[in-house]
Amino acid sequence: MTIDERLDRLTERHEALTGHVEILTADVSQLAASVDKMSRRMDDLVIKMDDLAPGFSTLAEIARNHERRIGGLEQE
């Protein structure tokens, strides 16, 4: 194999690697955008859950009181 052939092979490999790096860079950019979007949505969900948590606690207390009353009625 001559030096020119080796240089041609190296050039081809370099071009192929450059193409792969460009594809990977685009993929990473898309993934970063997706992660940013999911992060914002997660932040919104956390805020909504924080708003709902007191309501859940209230409902749980109401259910406990209801069960106690029913248990008391059943014992009578």
Side-chain angles (χ1 to χ4, degrees):
M1 183 179 277
T2 67
I3 290 180
D4 287 337
E5 290 172 334
R6 288 182 181 179
L7 286 173
D8 286 342
R9 280 189 71 201
L10 284 174
T11 301
E12 289 173 7
R13 286 181 177 176
H14 181 269
E15 289 171 356
L17 285 172
T18 301
H20 288 296
V21 168
E22 288 173 357
I23 291 169
L24 287 172
T25 301
D27 288 346
V28 167
S29 294
Q30 289 175 348
L31 285 172
S34 294
V35 168
D36 288 343
K37 183 179 177 182
M38 287 192 313
S39 178
R40 286 190 303 272
R41 292 188 73 197
M42 189 61 111
D43 291 342
D44 292 342
L45 288 173
V46 167
I47 290 168
K48 288 177 184 176
M49 287 304 297
D50 287 344
D51 290 344
L52 292 173
F56 288 142
S57 296
T58 302
L59 287 174
E61 184 62 30
I62 290 170
R64 282 191 292 274
N65 290 338
H66 183 70
E67 287 177 10
R68 273 187 243 130
R69 276 183 262 153
I70 290 175
L73 290 173
E74 289 174 348
Q75 289 177 358
E76 289 179 5

